Structures are given as structure tokens and as C-alpha cells.
Amino acid sequence: MDFKSIKYYLIASVLVVSCATPKKGSFSAKTKTLDQKVDSLLSIMTLDEKIGQLNQYNGFWEITGPAPKDGQAAKKYNDLKNGLVGSMLNVKGVKDVYAIQKIAVEQTRLGIPLLFGFDVIHGHKTISPIPLAEAASWDLDAIKKSAQVGAEEAAAEGINWTFAPMVDISRDARWGRVMEGAGEDTYLGSKIAAARVNGFQGDLSTNKNILACAKHFAGYAFAEAGRDYNTVMVSDEVLHNVILPPFKASVDAGVKTFMNSFNELNGVPATGSKLLQRDILKKNWNFDGFVVSDWGSIIEMIPHGYAKNSKHAAEIAIQAGSDMDMESYAYVEHLSALVKEGKVSENLINDAARRILKVKFELGLFDNPYKYCDEAHEKATVGKQEFHDAVLDVAKKSIVLLKNENNLLPLAQSGKKVALIGALATDKTSPLGSWRIAAQDNTAVSVLEGMQQYKNNQLTYVKGADLTKGRTQFVWETHINTTDTSGFAEAIDVAKKADVVVMVLGEHGLQTGEGRSRTDLGLPGVQQELLEAIYKVNKNIVLVLNNGRPLAIPWAAENIPAIVEAWHLGTESGNAIAQVLYGDYNPSGKLPMTFPRNVAQVPIYYNYKNTGRPTMNEPESVFWSHYSDEKNTPLFAFGHGLSYSKFEYSDLKLSTTTLAQGGNINVTVSLKNNSAVAGKEVVQLYIRDIIGSTTRPVKELKGFEMVALQPNETKTITFTITEEMLAFYTANNKWETEAGDFKVFVGGSSDKTIEANFEFIKTN
Ligand code: BGC
């Protein structure tokens, strides 16, 4: 090891290790040694060097080219050389990462290695389905595997930290970032958060795993009216029962970093929130990793009306517990003065720097700062076939069969005339979804390419209409084709002659994601018109949806016989869709988020409160909680998803109807596959707490199990209800249980369940 960075660390840590005598019954020798290593390093750092660890810059110059001389890039470059940078983001590729790491290691006084962060959200170069799609698989192993693949590929490109998973529970489909989360349910979201953290971080001693980051802490998805970055006002009850549990699950899974969020939460910007960062995260949950701000969120406290200027913002953020400043320049510019003026205690800087350094130690960067910098490994790893296999697997599992009248699907594999219509059917970029910054455009398998594998049908493709006006990059709503229907005639002609028409419609991958809130949840542009025009000449339509959020498509739901929710499925998109359409894969996905009938219903979610007027008392009653022009019910409910098998639920039985503390109830249900097709079903368990010290939702997911059944096979499925499952954040401001009556529901969707009752008795 000839790394210069190590010289100071070695002197310090060797001393520490040799004189460290672990006390029995206190910390383990290993933990103590790690803490002592960090402390030794801290003790030889200047204040500015410690502040430098708290500073993160975006990639800033032609890294392998000449050093920048002027402007912002030169400032960053000089800061880097002076040890005033702790981490970089958006630098990728071994060559570039190595070049920057080398400056940190060889040219700074202490040679402390950098963290390299990147948004590896759904794959890196080989793209996985968007997270919302993966959540529809309800398959925690597949989701974990997908995170692992993303981590391994990114790690091979020098990256050692992903800004994922996003664990924001989201109930509002207008918000463009619903694509990045696990949907609306806290229980499912918590399980998925843990699976993703484990997938990314796995074994950090290898060069295949990277640091994960639970984001955005907290409340970001509850932006008023679904408008990104907007104000968030939520009750303590919603915060603790709905929003926080997936973050807690991430901490429990060992996540090393957190990212705070852009939004204000009940009047305080999250970046400046002591309640969130110091009290809840670091104190109550004992989180010992570090918190990075979101991009510029420290100085965004100025327009929020919470900080007077950048210096004030830095003071607020560090006191609140934001450890690292992403691109605000506020810490690097002002913290030193703030400490000298006595406005910020040096202990706070020490605490933040200690957290960051500890993570660097845990990642092994002090043993080998170039751990992720191996060009041969990069070459051999990026785009591996194994990655394609994994993303294809999870893509198939993510598809949700929303409707299948008269068994129109699966399609016969031979002897049919199939018309394929829609601009998205040949698009090789859109399926890559929103967060695919490392992927090349045009690298996804299109639906046309996927369907062309089935050669015994006569397949004719016709576009029908453009979705965008020639744009593949930065597709905003203004780039959507809302006028040109000149291709309709040709499409109608082809559809007339076909036995079946497959129409691929929906959102472009870049119409979703950050900053892409929409007020219209229908099919963008002229696609609805195209769908109706084709329907007039051929009713045998299979609608394949590509989208990053729930859509409101009531006309299609009523008229189109088969609807396949295929989201933005990533690199292997077309192969996954074709295999489902042709029955080589039997779909098992279930919606992780409610589909509304009408955008005005949002936020709409299955675990709503009953209200005092939940139903109509008399026919034509007016004064109950409803719309006069729309139903209350969703178009497709949370948990909904069909299969080519036909599943039937019966015989729901409880082992006892009284749950005592420390006891449990076994819930059994019989599941039959009443079809000739083998398939998988996600069996869902919901509970309702009838009376609470604060009102409780009509139903809450508390368990699920993926069950595989052969044709005509029946299985008995068992869930166990324990006291822990009944706990919630009560009127006492505590996570606890309350005695009383409960309902239990089991089924294949939140709106199709069978139910039973039990009582929970508390003795203390
Ligand atoms: C997003 C974060 C992301 C960061 C870095 C921000 O705009 O909100 O989720 O990780 O940029 O790219």
C-alpha cells in the first residue's frame, strides 16, 4: 500500500490499535477501534479540514483534461486540492473517479479519500424497472437483486455511494417522483426500503456493494397539490404512522446515509429541522451514519423564508443535523467563521465530520482509496449478461395485468395477424424511465423488438401518432404532440385487418420524475383520441401502458378488453412485455398505488379514514362524503392485479378470536388455482383497528406472501397476527398498542377480501 493518504491515518491508528485495551462488557473491540481510528484522525485535522469533509461538490471539469483556471470550476478544483472537499457527486467511470481520488489522496495534507455519490436509482447502465414498477412485483428478493445489480455495475464505474432508495410514501399521482418510490403503502414501502438497502450495501467489504441513502427525510411526497418541492403540512399522526416507518426500516437495515429534503414540513424546511434530524433520526433511532442535504437545499432555506442568507442557512443546517452540504457552498464558505464567532460549536463540526469519516472507514477507503477503481474490472462488469438476466426477471415480475376480458390474453403464438400501434412501441429510450443518467439513449429493447421474437404471427407495426414532437431528451409537456393526427388513417387501416391490436400508449419516461408534476393523469397528447379511433374499427385491443405514475383512464378501463400495466421497465422492457403478452410469463404483479378514475380524486389511497359520513343513508342522499359527479372508489385499487390463472379464496379461519399480549393468532385461508395455468398470487393480509385513540384507517396491509400454484392446486396459507402488528402512533404520542376489536381481511387485492373478527386484550 503506497497510498499517501494512509500515512497520517496509519501513524494515528496504529498507535490507537496498539494501546487499545477493550473493556469487557463495553463496546466490542472492533467498534471501539473504529471509533478510535476516527478520533485519532479528527485530532490531527484543522477546523477547515473537518469542514471540508462536510462539503460535497458536483463533478465540475473535464477531469482528465487540463486543470480549470477560472470561475466556479477553478474554485472547486482548488478546494479539492486544499482538502476542502469530502465528497463528489456525478463523477463516474474509473478514469475520472481515479483522477479525482488521486488529487484528494496525493495532493491534500491528510490525503483523506473522497466519497463518490451518484443517483443509481433503478440500475446504472443496465436499467431496471423504475422503483414504482418494481414495487408492483411485491417480490423482495427480486427487488434486492435489482439493487445489487445496480450497485455492482455502478461500483465497477468507480461509484461508492448511491442516493437511493427513495422511501417516500406517496399518495398523489400528480407528483412526478412517485416513480421513484414504492407507492402508497407504509408496510410494503418499509419492506422494500430494507430490501433495497440490503441490495445496495450488502457486504461493504467487497467492491461490488456501495453505500445506500434513505431519502428524502421527510415528507417530500406530501407536497400540496402534488406539485414538486411544494409546502408539506402533515399531522404528527400521518408523519409517524405513514411517512416515517420506511425511514426507520432503512435505519434498522443498516443504511449508512440519509438525505434530507427540499420541502418544508409544517413550517420548517426539512434541511433545517432539528426535530427530524437530531431528535427523531439521530437520538430516537440511534442513527450513526450521516445526513447529506439535498441539492442546494441548505441555501434554499433563503427563498423558503427561513434563513437570511447563505451564512445563516449554514448555521441553521449544521445545528439541525445536516452533516454534508450538497452543492450549496454554504458550509465551506461560512462554517469556519461561524465557529470563530461562537455561533456554531466546534463539537457540531466534529460530530458531522466524525460521522462522515466513520463511513469512509467502514467502506474501506482508508485501506484502499482506489477500491472501486479497476479498469479491467469495469470493462468486465458493465453490461454483463447476468445483469440483463436480472433486470429482465424483475421487469416481468413488475408487470400488472389490470384487465383481461374474455381471456383475450395471452395471445396465440401463431397464425394471427397482430397490429402493433403507438409511438412508444418502438421507443428504445422512454422505457429507460426517468433516473437513468448513466444509461445510453436507445438501449432498451422496444416492444416491437420483443414481439418480433414471436415469428409465427404476422406482426405489422404502425405508429399512429407521435407522442413527442421529436424530443427524446428533456421531454416537458410542451414537447408532447397534441395536434398531429395525420398518422391515424394508416393505423386504422392496419387495425381493421388485424385479429388483435396491441397498443402501446402512455407517458414518455422523461415525463415523470423530479420536477415532472402533472395536473392531467390521462394519456398524454393525442393518444386517447388514437385509442378511441382504433376501437371503432377493432375492439380486440390489448392496451399496454407505459407510465411512471398511476393514470386516470376510465374510458379505457370500461371499453378496452385487456390492459397491461408495463410502467417504464428498463433495458429489457420489450422482452418482458412480449413474454407476458404471449403467455411465456404469467403475470403476478399487484398495484402498489391506487389508480384514480379522475385526477380530482387524488390523493386517493386504500388506507383512508372512514369519516363520520362514509355511506349514503337513503337513496339519493346528499349529505355524505362523496362527489356528486364521480364515484369514491378507485379505477384500480391498491393490491389489484390479475393472472392467467384464476385464484379463489375461501375458508378464512382464525385459530382464536382473542389475542392476548404475547400471544398470537394464526389466520389461515384456502387458495385455489381454478385454472389450467400454473401461476403465482400475492396473498395480502389487512387489519382494521375499529376504534382508536386517534381514528384508524379502514384497512392496513400487515403481511403478504407470494404463493405459487400448479393448475387446480389448492394451498392453505397461514399468517400469524401478533401484538406488534397492531401498534401505531397513538394519542399518547407513542408507538404502542391499544386493546379493542379488530377485523382481519385476506385477499388478492385491497378491495377484494374475505374477513373475520378478533379482539385484542391488554393486561398491562
Ligand atoms: C434530488 C435528489 C438527488 C440529488 C442528486 C436532487 O435534485 O432531489 O434525489 O439525489 O438531486 O442528484
Side-chain angles (χ1 to χ4, degrees):
M1 277 198 296
D2 60 346
F3 311 123
K4 226 177 148 194
S5 77
I6 315 303
K7 66 178 178 186
Y8 295 97
Y9 151 69
L10 275 183
I11 298 164
S13 67
V14 163
L15 279 176
V16 170
V17 172
S18 59
C19 62
T21 352
K23 271 191 210 138
K24 262 196 184 159
S26 62
F27 299 106
S28 73
K30 198 170 161 219
T31 314
K32 190 165 183 184
T33 306
L34 176 62
D35 286 342
Q36 286 185 326
K37 283 177 185 174
V38 176
D39 283 341
S40 307
L41 182 52
L42 268 177
S43 71
I44 58 166
M45 290 171 78
T46 64
L47 175 64
D48 284 343
E49 282 165 342
K50 288 187 262 190
I51 292 169
Q53 289 303 304
L54 280 48
N55 183 31
Q56 185 186 53
Y57 282 148
N58 188 42
F60 51 88
W61 87 93
E62 200 53 59
I63 290 148
T64 43
K69 293 214 165 31
D70 329 288
Q72 206 191 43
K75 176 192 165 27
K76 289 183 175 185
Y77 179 67
N78 289 331
D79 283 356
L80 179 64
K81 285 204 304 188
N82 292 327
L84 298 181
V85 180
S87 169
M88 299 288 308
L89 79 150
N90 291 335
V91 179
K92 67 170 166 59
V94 166
K95 226 184 191 146
D96 286 1
V97 170
Y98 181 83
I100 293 204
Q101 190 72 299
K102 198 162 148 56
I103 297 175
V105 168
E106 294 189 2
Q107 297 191 36
T108 67
R109 188 178 78 92
L110 293 176
I112 298 172
L114 302 167
L115 291 174
F116 289 87
F118 204 85
D119 289 284
V120 186
I121 309 290
H122 47 105
H124 187 60
K125 284 216 148 103
T126 312
I127 298 296
S128 295
I130 56 169
L132 184 66
E134 286 191 354
S137 74
W138 296 52
D139 186 325
L140 301 175
D141 292 337
I143 291 171
K144 181 176 166 194
K145 176 76 190 168
S146 158
Q148 243 162 22
V149 162
E152 188 180 337
E153 200 174 47
E157 283 218 319
I159 291 152
N160 53 32
W161 177 20
T162 174
F163 303 125
M166 185 186 100
V167 303
D168 297 306
I169 295 301
S170 43
R171 293 172 161 179
D172 193 330
R174 292 171 296 185
W175 191 56
R177 292 192 90 163
V178 302
M179 55 74 52
E180 198 178 340
E184 74 191 36
D185 183 65
T186 300
Y187 177 84
L188 180 62
S190 300
K191 294 281 177 207
I192 290 177
R196 289 207 163 111
V197 168
N198 289 328
F200 288 126
Q201 290 192 169
D203 178 358
L204 286 177
S205 69
T206 72
N207 65 352
K208 294 184 175 172
N209 287 104
I210 61 179
L211 303 170
C213 179
K215 70 186 189 186
H216 305 86
F217 199 57
Y220 183 38
F222 279 68
E224 281 179 1
R227 202 182 75 216
D228 207 0
Y229 319 121
N230 204 4
T231 304
V232 175
M233 303 292 277
V234 292
S235 64
D236 265 9
E237 197 224 326
V238 170
L239 180 67
H240 287 272
N241 285 323
V242 181
I243 295 173
L244 294 183
F247 287 100
K248 174 68 165 57
S250 304
V251 173
D252 293 344
V255 74
K256 297 285 177 197
T257 75
F258 257 56
M259 184 185 289
N260 59 33
S261 55
F262 291 127
N263 57 285
E264 70 156 77
L265 176 69
N266 302 335
V268 178
T271 306
S273 171
K274 271 191 188 149
L275 170 74
L276 287 172
Q277 299 170 110
R278 290 228 179 267
D279 300 346
I280 296 177
L281 178 62
K282 293 179 178 172
K283 188 162 146 254
N284 299 353
W285 297 351
N286 278 320
F287 174 67
D288 65 353
F290 71 87
V291 181
V292 63
S293 80
D294 203 345
W295 180 292
S297 70
I298 295 179
I299 45 169
E300 287 186 13
M301 289 197 285
I302 305 167
H304 267 298
Y306 199 70
K308 284 181 268 188
N309 49 38
S310 163
K311 188 170 177 185
H312 188 208
E315 180 184 342
I316 294 171
I318 193 75
Q319 279 171 349
S322 294
D323 301 306
M324 186 181 274
D325 171 358
M326 181 193 288
E327 272 290 307
S328 277
Y329 299 72
Y331 283 4
V332 71
E333 279 172 15
H334 305 297
L335 278 184
S336 174
L338 285 164
V339 171
K340 283 171 195 142
E341 288 160 22
K343 291 194 172 133
V344 167
S345 148
E346 191 164 349
N347 287 339
L348 291 185
I349 311 290
N350 289 343
D351 176 59
R354 181 179 285 112
R355 288 168 178 274
I356 293 163
L357 291 170
K358 188 166 169 228
V359 166
K360 291 185 177 183
F361 273 104
E362 287 172 332
L363 201 52
L365 291 182
F366 284 97
D367 297 324
N368 180 2
Y370 305 111
K371 179 180 160 192
Y372 296 93
C373 296
D374 176 342
E375 282 190 78
H377 174 66
E378 177 180 39
K379 224 170 153 207
T381 304
V382 172
K384 273 203 291 195
Q385 184 55 42
E386 187 194 320
F387 296 164
H388 284 262
D389 297 345
V391 301
L392 173 60
D393 180 63
V394 68
K396 288 189 284 192
K397 290 173 171 164
S398 303
I399 292 175
V400 184
L401 180 61
L402 294 176
K403 187 176 172 193
N404 191 18
E405 245 171 41
N406 308 325
N407 295 330
L408 183 58
L409 285 172
L411 303 176
Q413 292 197 8
S414 61
K416 296 284 177 201
K417 277 194 207 145
V418 181
L420 177 63
I421 297 176
L424 286 172
T426 52
D427 199 320
K428 292 170 66 60
T429 297
S430 174
L432 298 174
S434 186
W435 273 114
R436 19 71 74 170
I437 41 182
Q440 299 281 319
D441 276 359
N442 271 311
T443 50
V445 177
S446 70
V447 177
L448 176 62
E449 288 166 337
M451 290 186 72
Q452 278 168 342
Q453 315 282 321
Y454 293 82
K455 298 189 189 329
N456 299 329
N457 275 338
Q458 191 187 316
L459 179 67
T460 310
Y461 171 71
V462 55
K463 183 161 61 180
D466 284 319
L467 171 55
T468 64
K469 295 186 247 178
R471 293 282 287 216
T472 54
Q473 286 288 348
F474 304 111
V475 177
W476 318 136
E477 295 306 305
T478 46
H479 304 129
I480 298 296
N481 166 30
T482 53
T483 49
D484 182 4
T485 56
S486 57
F488 278 26
E490 193 192 352
I492 290 168
D493 203 41
V494 169
K496 268 185 195 160
K497 297 175 197 144
D499 296 314
V500 61
V501 184
V502 175
M503 295 188 71
V504 186
L505 307 177
E507 298 179 300
H508 190 278
L510 295 171
Q511 275 184 286
T512 69
E514 186 176 348
R516 272 72 160 212
S517 295
R518 292 181 63 208
T519 58
D520 179 354
L521 297 180
L523 295 169
V526 296
Q527 295 179 105
Q528 178 67 32
E529 224 181 301
L530 176 64
L531 180 64
E532 293 184 30
I534 300 295
Y535 181 77
K536 283 197 183 122
V537 299
N538 192 335
K539 299 201 167 15
N540 268 347
I541 296 178
V542 176
L543 171 60
V544 175
L545 293 170
N546 278 187
N547 44 302
R549 52 159 68 81
L551 295 177
I553 44 161
W555 185 89
E558 175 149 0
N559 296 288
I560 301 300
I563 306 178
V564 175
E565 176 50 76
W567 317 102
H568 295 126
L569 288 178
T571 304
E572 291 290 331
S573 173
N575 286 334
I577 293 169
Q579 288 183 31
V580 165
L581 295 180
Y582 279 115
D584 282 339
Y585 189 84
N586 186 359
S588 59
K590 301 278 187 181
L591 291 179
M593 205 172 166
T594 304
F595 275 44
R597 297 171 184 279
N598 182 318
V599 66
Q601 289 178 303
V602 295
I604 180 170
Y605 45 95
Y606 83 95
N607 48 351
Y608 57 88
K609 302 287 190 72
N610 210 28
T611 80
R613 296 187 175 194
T615 48
M616 172 161 54
N617 292 326
E618 302 153 11
E620 298 186 23
S621 162
V622 170
F623 303 108
W624 65 292
S625 182
H626 74 299
Y627 302 101
S628 44
D629 60 353
E630 186 54 276
K631 291 180 184 164
N632 282 1
T633 53
L635 192 63
F636 297 110
F638 173 84
H640 168 75
L642 306 172
S643 159
Y644 298 147
S645 313
K646 298 275 171 267
F647 296 111
E648 289 171 4
Y649 289 80
S650 63
D651 292 328
L652 181 67
K653 287 191 190 119
L654 306 190
S655 56
T656 162
T657 53
T658 314
L659 177 68
Q661 276 186 300
N664 56 45
I665 298 181
N666 281 341
V667 179
T668 52
V669 70
S670 172
L671 179 68
K672 179 168 187 200
N673 176 3
N674 196 6
S675 76
V677 189
K680 284 183 297 176
E681 167 77 336
V682 180
V683 181
Q684 301 157 39
L685 173 84
Y686 297 88
I687 286 180
R688 178 172 182 183
D689 183 349
I690 310 285
I691 309 288
S693 62
T694 62
T695 57
R696 309 292 297 125
V698 293
K699 218 170 245 181
E700 287 181 292
L701 185 73
K702 293 290 176 182
F704 61 89
E705 199 180 317
M706 175 85 71
V707 182
L709 289 178
Q710 292 304 314
N712 298 311
E713 187 183 356
T714 301
K715 275 187 183 165
T716 300
I717 318 303
T718 306
F719 291 102
T720 303
I721 298 179
T722 58
E723 175 179 1
E724 199 196 341
M725 290 159 82
L726 312 181
F728 69 106
Y729 191 77
T730 67
N732 288 332
N733 300 335
K734 268 198 197 151
W735 193 262
E736 59 184 355
T737 52
E738 291 177 348
D741 291 329
F742 290 79
K743 265 189 192 303
V744 53
F745 312 81
V746 178
S749 168
S750 65
D751 65 347
K752 285 186 193 63
T753 52
I754 48 180
E755 58 185 79
N757 300 302
F758 70 93
E759 188 186 359
F760 170 54
I761 297 175
K762 268 189 107 160
T763 39
N764 54 49

